Amino acid sequence: MDSDSSLLEDSSTPSPSPSPSPSSSSGFDRDRHVRFLEMMYQLLPFQYQTQEINHLTLAYFVISGLELLGAMDRVDKDKIANWVLSFQALPTIKAENPTGEFYGFCGSRSSQFPPGENGDLIHNGSHLASTYCALAILKVIGYDFSNIDSESIAISMRNLQQSDGSFVPIHIGAEADLRFIYCAAAICYMLENWSGMDKQKTKTYILNCQSYDGGFGLTPGSESHGGGTYCAIASLRLMGFIEDDLLSRDNPSSIINVPLLLEWCLQKQAADGGFQGRPNKPADTCYAFWIGSTLRILGGLDFIDKKALKAFLLTCQSKYGGFSKFPMDFPDLYHSYYGFTAFSLLEEPDINSLFVELGITDVSAWRI
Ligand SMILES: [Zn+2]
C-alpha cells in the first residue's frame, strides 16, 4: 500500500465477467461479501480506473465495509493509516491561513497535483469529500486523532464556506450544495472542532432546502432527493440542531417540518419493496441507506415494510458478493457498501450496528 499497491492499484487485465444473477443464498451472504471486499482490498478491477480521483472514497467503502462485516482482521491498519495520511495537505505556515486554501485530504495521487488555469501545478487539491472519507477510514481503523493537525483543517475550512452558508468542496471553487455541508459537518464532528463552520449560516441554508413536499433538495428550490434529504438531516443532527428519535417525543419542537418529511420518506418505498431517490424513479439499493438512515434519525424506521425491503435488497445481492444498484445487475463498491449499511439498519445479525449520521459503525464512531 506504500506505493499505492493493493486496494489502490488498478489491474491491467480484465476481471472475469460474472453472471449478474443474484446470490443463490436465501439470506444475507456475509462470507461472500467479505471475500468480495477482500478482493477489492487486494486489487481494484480495471473498471475503477476512471474513478482514480475518488481513490480515498473507494477505500472508505472497502475498509468501512469490512468493519461493518466484522472482518478487520483482513487488513493492515498501520499501512492503511500511512497511506491515508499521505494524502493530507499541510500548510507551510501554521495558524491563520492567508492563502485561501483548504488543508484537508486529496482524493488520489493525481488530485494532489491538479493543474491550474495557466497550466501550473497547484500542490493542494484538498477536497471536503476526500477529507470526510480519510477521517472516516482513520476512525474505522482506530487511529489516534490527537496525531492529526485538526486546527489546520478546521481553520482553513472557513475558506470554503460561502456567504449563504453553503460549502464549496475545494478552494479553487466548484458547485456548492448539501453534500458538502454534510462533509463539513461530519469532519467537524469527527475532529470535535467546529471552528471551521458558521453553524447558524449553515443551518439557514439547510432549512431553505426543505421543499414543499417535505423532502430536501440539494440546493434551495431544487427537487427533493433521497441523498439531499439524508445530508440535511444527518448534518442537523451532527450539529446538534435536532434531537434523536424526534417522533417518539411528546412535544417535539423542531426547526424542520417533521410530519411532512416522514410522509415524503415513507412514500419513497416502492411497490417492489426498495426505496427510490425521487418519485417515479426505479428503486435503487443505495436509497435504502439514504432514506432508511433519515427515518432512523427521525425514529420512523419501524413504519417501513422491512420484509419487503429485505426481499428487494436480496434481489440485488450478487452471488459473487456485493450489491448492485438494480436487481440482477453487476455489483459495484458504492452500492455494495450501502447494501451492507441497509442490512445493518434492518438489524441483520451478521453486521455491526451503524452510526448512521457518520456512515460508519457505532464502535468506530465512539472509539477514543
Ligand atoms: Zn444508487
Side-chain angles (χ1 to χ4, degrees):
M1 194 165 298
D2 296 327
S3 56
D4 280 6
S5 60
S6 64
L7 157 67
L8 317 161
E9 198 167 21
D10 297 310
S11 69
S12 56
T13 50
S15 60
S17 296
S19 137
S21 55
S23 167
S24 56
S25 164
S26 57
F28 182 80
D29 204 338
R30 184 250 179 203
D31 292 345
R32 284 179 203 237
H33 295 312
V34 170
R35 283 201 294 276
F36 172 79
L37 290 179
E38 207 175 359
M39 191 170 68
M40 298 292 166
Y41 177 72
Q42 298 299 338
L43 192 67
L44 279 176
F46 76 98
Q47 288 91 343
Y48 289 98
Q49 277 178 350
T50 54
Q51 296 185 46
E52 192 273 344
I53 200 160
N54 298 320
H55 224 161
L56 267 176
T57 305
L58 297 171
Y60 157 72
F61 292 144
V62 173
I63 295 160
S64 190
L66 286 167
E67 161 76 358
L68 271 165
L69 298 173
M72 285 301 278
D73 56 322
R74 316 298 169 101
V75 303
D76 183 328
K77 293 180 183 176
D78 289 337
K79 276 190 176 176
I80 291 172
N82 289 334
W83 180 76
V84 170
L85 291 169
S86 74
F87 291 108
Q88 188 174 11
L90 294 165
T92 47
I93 306 168
K94 284 261 178 189
E96 289 306 318
N97 175 30
T99 64
E101 294 189 21
F102 169 50
Y103 293 103
F105 289 75
C106 304
S108 69
R109 289 285 169 255
S110 69
S111 61
Q112 279 182 301
F113 306 104
E117 280 179 7
N118 58 5
D120 292 341
L121 294 179
I122 300 170
H123 290 246
N124 181 5
S126 298
H127 193 284
L128 279 176
S130 310
T131 304
Y132 157 70
C133 289
L135 295 179
I137 294 170
L138 292 172
K139 274 278 185 197
V140 165
I141 62 172
Y143 185 76
D144 182 353
F145 269 46
S146 66
N147 292 328
I148 296 175
D149 182 2
S150 57
E151 201 64 20
S152 291
I153 298 173
I155 290 173
S156 64
M157 193 193 290
R158 292 179 194 153
N159 293 322
L160 303 180
Q161 189 160 26
Q162 307 298 294
S163 57
D164 63 359
S166 65
F167 278 81
V168 291
I170 188 165
H171 76 267
I172 53 175
E175 57 195 343
D177 60 49
L178 280 181
R179 291 172 300 171
F180 307 118
I181 280 186
Y182 169 74
C183 291
I187 290 165
C188 293
Y189 186 90
M190 286 190 275
L191 294 176
E192 298 180 77
N193 184 339
W194 291 88
S195 61
M197 172 188 284
D198 181 329
K199 286 169 78 173
Q200 290 300 327
K201 266 190 182 179
T202 309
K203 180 180 79 171
T204 301
Y205 184 88
I206 295 172
L207 298 183
N208 284 337
C209 291
Q210 187 166 27
S211 181
Y212 69 91
D213 60 7
F216 287 72
L218 284 170
T219 55
S222 61
E223 183 187 7
S224 297
H225 180 272
T229 301
Y230 167 83
C231 288
I233 299 306
S235 299
L236 289 173
R237 179 78 194 116
L238 290 170
M239 292 159 70
F241 286 124
I242 58 172
E243 295 172 288
D244 195 17
D245 206 7
L246 276 173
L247 292 167
S248 70
R249 297 178 189 276
D250 289 338
N251 295 303
S253 59
S254 184
I255 52 177
I256 55 171
N257 188 330
V258 176
L260 207 55
L261 171 60
L262 175 67
E263 189 181 336
W264 184 85
C265 288
L266 294 176
Q267 284 179 350
K268 296 294 129 350
Q269 186 163 26
D272 59 8
F275 276 86
Q276 55 189 192
R278 287 176 285 166
N280 304 315
K281 292 280 186 182
D284 168 341
T285 296
C286 68
Y287 291 105
F289 170 79
W290 301 121
I291 296 178
S293 293
T294 303
L295 286 166
R296 162 72 79 79
I297 294 171
L298 296 178
L301 198 56
D302 286 341
F303 296 132
I304 69 167
D305 185 340
K306 292 182 180 177
K307 204 172 159 189
L309 175 58
K310 183 174 179 179
F312 170 81
L313 291 170
L314 287 175
T315 65
C316 299
Q317 178 175 254
S318 165
K319 66 179 178 182
Y320 295 98
F323 286 85
S324 52
K325 176 185 174 101
F326 298 130
M328 304 289 286
D329 210 341
F330 292 106
D332 65 81
L333 269 177
Y334 173 90
H335 289 94
S336 296
Y337 186 71
Y338 291 114
F340 305 149
T341 56
F343 268 94
S344 179
L345 288 172
L346 292 171
E347 299 179 49
E348 171 68 30
D350 284 345
I351 307 184
N352 287 315
S353 63
L354 187 66
F355 187 81
V356 295
E357 293 89 342
L358 287 181
I360 57 179
T361 63
D362 265 325
V363 171
S364 301
W366 296 114
R367 192 177 276 139
I368 297 172

